[in-house]
Amino acid sequence: MRTHLCGQIGPAEVGTKVRVCGWVAKRREHGEHLAFVDARDHTGIVQCVIPGTVDVRSEYVIAVEGVVRPRPEGTVNPDLPTGEVEIGDCTVEVLGIAEPPPFVVDDRVDVDETIRLKNRFVDLRRPRMQQNLRLRAQINGALRASMDRQGFVEVETPLLWAPTPEGAREFVVPSRLHHGSFYVLPQSPQLAKQLLMVAGFDRYYQIARCMRDEDLRADRQFEFSQLDVEASFVSQEDVLAFVSEAVLSAAEVATGERPGPIPHMTWAEAIDRYGTDKPDLRFGMELVDLSAVFDGTEVKAFAAPCVKAMVIEGGADLGRSKLDKLTDRAKALGAKGLAWFRVTDGGGEGSTPGLDSPLDRFLSEPERAGLLSATAAAVGDLVLVVADEHRLACTVLGQLRVDTGGRPVSEGPFRFLWVVDFPMFDGVDGDGNPIAAHHPFTMPHPDDLDRLESDPASVRSQAYDLVLNGWELGSGSVRVHRGDIQSRVFAVLGISDDEAESRFGFLLRAFHFGAPPHAGFAVGIDRLVAIFAGEESIREVIAFPKTQSGSDPMTGAPKPLAAGLLAEVGLRPAPAKD
RNA sequence: GGACCUGUGGUGCAGCCUGGAGUGCACGCCGGCCUGUCAAGCCGGAGGUCGCGGGUUCAAAUCCCGUCAGGUCCGCCA
């Protein structure tokens, strides 16, 4: 039906009779003797010259036949990749007519996202979306190829799984054959892949769809894709190497160059220096510890276990309302307050810098000097200080660091980072039991195993995250494969034998039949692609995403079901709320 | 569950703070003219429940309350 793609027409095709197919991007008529039609397909736009009139409109589907020729002197269009040539003496066949599109098929206009999603089939025609989805396909291909090269076997796991109440809320699917019973859609293939390890598939991977019925965000959809990996007879370092190889080869496909080796940082260091477990290494603004400076201070606001600071370069000109907003933000994040100090020139020539702050008059001279030297703040800078428990002080400032210094996704280098040695537990539940930071099958750090019962909060795990430019790309861990350790972990978590049996009985049973040591990881593909595409939202790299309230403006999903269909799966509509 | 922002012809915006006729801009659409344009140009035209509901007022796109939709964030996402 066609001999060339639109974007392929160039000087090499001059003199060749060609036939291209595509959509009418633009029509320019010049009377009864001349008209231009820009034909567009996913490779680009080519100008077709019609010696007469032409009866086409925007977005008509056409086939154009003509002979490629150089454009006449002075009519070359340097803004168009095909702009040196045109298809001359064209005949146009209309393959399909079109109503005027709801918005221009052009990257240059920002259209309301609801309208884009309602007309996604038009939106996806736009070059940006074409590029994003094609980039995604390339990245998927690179990931698969890398895992294949490394000897991994792709195995598919069920979408209809058993309810195994874990972290995320699960989507439920009623059973037609067993009224009153339900499948759930997997929030990840976690248990399935561990079973595959027991089954002897010692290197498994899958590009897996995962579903979590939790509130949506720019970087979270109900359903998302992971490069899911698990391997037996491997160490944590082996897993990091496998996954590094995969994401670096994806980076190479996406950007044309391969980033260097991915550095490691412990979780504790990430929190202390960046106030987050997913530091964005593209910029500095590292946190500074002032606890020693304010040890035994008279300043009530700083009488806390930890005093942490961050410098905003040139931030001294921030007005009171901006500072109030930062304070509000800090409070919303859990801080009791936010102290700020403008660094001033201190008056006289060559004098030491001074501080401008409501708190300044409470500071002793050593504290004032210590604050300035520890933060290395210069005149014109702004120093933000939070005093609280160490973790909270760090995370509040870490968030302010991103709020005030954060770079656009599209900017700067790709800075991967492995964050290792996560804590085994994070916080306690309503019954006072520790909560698993990763999941209950995570192997404690061998050096900390003897403190599992006596001091669980201090126990590190063999869990690790992959971070890219401040986004959490994925996480993994070495798994518990020994029954005795698993029992101890369950005991600390407050999971009884009966509960473990009812939730994960099939996995525990499998482990009785010869479980190899194993470890794994999962990489969030939507986020990976979004970052390489320079997109702030993963919706821009998903063909048919949901809105923040979980609906699809195009299909109208979710929708009520007819009563008959409900009855067939054994459900009755709930009585209408008053 | 909560906070904030947005909603005005098909699209993108201005108008709102400080109430006074659906007023304006750009693009698109329809018709006409036009032999080298390229986000063509020129002339003419059509197109509106100012998201929806209520309130205040002589008068509401504008002020107030509620609600719906979209977005960003907190909670949530082992």
Side-chain angles (χ1 to χ4, degrees):
Chain A
M1 191 171 277
R2 58 184 172 186
T3 63
H4 291 72
L5 296 168
C6 295
Q8 289 176 332
I9 308 291
E13 281 70 37
V14 166
T16 310
K17 183 174 181 185
V18 300
R19 184 178 159 93
V20 299
C21 296
W23 286 260
V24 175
K26 203 72 201 175
R27 170 197 54 156
R28 293 177 294 278
E29 286 185 305
H30 289 255
E32 55 182 319
H33 300 293
L34 178 68
F36 300 97
V37 170
D38 289 340
R40 181 196 63 237
D41 64 22
H42 67 90
T43 61
I45 284 175
V46 65
Q47 172 167 283
C48 309
V49 186
I50 288 95
T53 60
V54 61
D55 190 17
V56 297
R57 306 275 163 149
S58 288
E59 301 308 316
Y60 272 30
V61 184
I62 54 170
V64 183
E65 205 166 288
V67 177
V68 181
R69 65 192 190 199
R71 293 205 186 185
E73 191 79 30
T75 65
V76 166
N77 183 355
D79 297 331
L80 210 58
T82 62
E84 286 184 41
V85 298
E86 63 191 12
I87 306 178
D89 293 324
C90 289
T91 56
V92 175
E93 180 186 350
V94 174
L95 304 176
I97 62 171
E99 292 176 21
F103 50 87
V104 208
V105 181
D106 192 317
D107 287 343
R108 284 172 291 202
V109 268
D110 274 329
V111 181
D112 180 84
E113 196 167 344
T114 317
I115 293 165
R116 292 178 57 201
L117 290 181
K118 185 164 186 173
N119 303 278
R120 194 61 157 177
F121 37 83
V122 173
D123 188 43
L124 293 179
R125 265 182 221 161
R126 305 205 291 174
R128 167 190 178 188
M129 297 305 291
Q130 286 280 323
Q131 283 159 14
N132 287 353
L133 293 187
R134 287 166 195 277
L135 174 68
R136 185 177 182 131
Q138 281 189 301
I139 286 173
N140 275 348
L143 294 173
R144 280 211 167 89
S146 173
M147 298 315 291
D148 289 345
R149 270 199 309 277
Q150 299 185 80
F152 283 74
V153 178
E154 183 169 8
V155 181
E156 293 169 273
T157 54
L159 287 182
L160 297 175
W161 194 247
T164 54
E166 294 168 41
R169 189 179 297 114
E170 295 163 324
F171 280 98
V172 298
V173 180
S175 164
R176 175 180 58 87
L177 298 178
H178 305 274
H179 284 188
S181 286
F182 297 84
Y183 305 93
V184 304
L185 305 179
Q187 46 184 297
S188 85
Q190 180 61 38
L191 302 181
K193 68 178 176 179
Q194 292 193 246
L195 293 171
L196 286 172
M197 293 303 107
V198 179
F201 289 90
D202 61 355
R203 289 188 178 190
Y204 142 93
Y205 84 97
Q206 177 183 197
I207 290 185
R209 300 304 284 281
C210 308
M211 295 81 173
R212 297 181 187 173
D213 190 1
E214 298 288 351
D215 287 0
L216 280 46
R217 288 281 196 284
D219 62 351
R220 283 167 22 197
Q221 285 272 302
F222 282 152
E223 41 185 322
F224 57 99
S225 299
Q226 289 187 337
L227 173 66
D228 194 46
V229 176
E230 194 79 11
S232 297
F233 312 115
V234 297
S235 66
Q236 169 171 323
E237 285 307 311
D238 293 325
V239 174
L240 302 195
F242 293 141
V243 176
S244 292
E245 170 58 29
V247 296
L248 290 178
S249 59
E252 187 171 6
V253 160
T255 68
E257 55 188 72
R258 191 182 170 90
I262 301 177
H264 294 197
M265 184 183 292
T266 65
W267 177 87
E269 184 179 355
I271 295 289
D272 195 57
R273 289 173 60 191
Y274 297 97
T276 176
D277 56 10
K278 45 180 182 177
D280 187 342
L281 299 184
R282 289 177 299 169
F283 64 103
M285 297 177 70
E286 290 192 30
L287 310 190
V288 179
D289 205 296
L290 296 181
S291 301
V293 173
F294 290 101
D295 187 29
T297 184
E298 301 286 314
V299 184
K300 280 190 183 150
F302 291 168
C306 175
V307 181
K308 209 81 184 174
M310 180 182 73
V311 177
I312 299 180
E313 271 181 50
D317 57 359
L318 286 183
R320 196 54 189 261
S321 67
K322 289 265 175 58
L323 293 170
D324 286 346
K325 274 190 179 152
L326 283 176
T327 305
D328 289 346
R329 174 74 165 156
K331 285 179 178 167
L333 293 164
K336 292 179 191 71
L338 177 71
W340 50 263
F341 298 88
R342 295 190 181 107
V343 183
T344 61
D345 62 11
E349 186 128 340
S351 65
T352 53
L355 294 175
D356 170 24
S357 166
L359 280 178
D360 181 53
R361 63 195 177 94
F362 300 112
L363 263 56
S364 69
E365 200 48 51
E367 287 172 341
R368 206 168 280 133
L371 184 149
L372 281 167
S373 68
T375 59
V379 173
D381 290 350
L382 180 73
V383 181
L384 300 180
V385 180
V386 174
D388 215 302
E389 298 293 330
H390 176 262
R391 175 88 176 270
L392 187 73
C394 290
T395 53
V396 168
L397 280 174
Q399 188 59 54
L400 295 182
R401 171 179 177 268
V402 173
D403 289 351
T404 58
R407 304 290 196 265
V409 175
S410 58
E411 183 182 298
F414 298 103
R415 297 288 302 272
F416 284 98
L417 177 70
W418 284 112
V419 178
V420 300
D421 292 352
F422 270 67
M424 186 76 187
F425 307 104
D426 191 12
V428 292
D429 65 18
D431 301 327
N433 293 312
I435 299 168
H438 188 54
H439 60 54
F441 315 109
T442 302
M443 184 75 97
H445 196 291
D447 297 348
D448 299 349
L449 195 51
D450 56 353
R451 296 197 307 277
L452 189 59
E453 290 81 7
S454 59
D455 187 11
S458 76
V459 174
R460 291 165 296 168
S461 68
Q462 296 185 61
Y464 32 87
D465 273 11
L466 179 61
V467 175
L468 173 56
N469 292 3
W471 289 39
E472 181 193 325
L473 272 192
S475 56
S477 63
V478 176
R479 325 297 183 190
V480 178
H481 72 284
R482 274 171 43 188
D484 57 332
I485 298 178
Q486 187 67 72
S487 297
R488 289 173 62 193
V489 172
F490 281 159
V492 173
L493 290 171
I495 299 174
S496 68
D497 290 350
D498 283 353
E499 188 184 351
E501 178 57 34
S502 75
R503 282 168 67 178
F504 325 112
F506 58 96
L507 181 71
L508 302 178
R509 197 172 97 84
F511 279 8
H512 292 157
F513 292 91
H518 58 287
F521 199 80
V523 181
I525 291 177
D526 309 81
R527 292 179 183 177
L528 183 68
V529 177
I531 294 170
F532 284 138
E535 297 287 3
E536 302 281 346
S537 163
I538 64 170
R539 294 188 299 276
E540 302 298 342
V541 298
I542 296 171
F544 301 104
K546 306 279 188 292
T547 67
Q548 193 164 61
S549 66
S551 57
D552 177 352
M554 185 177 66
T555 63
K559 287 176 153 178
L561 267 189
L565 291 174
L566 282 176
E568 193 167 37
V569 294
L571 296 180
R572 269 194 319 272
K577 291 179 193 163
D578 46 58

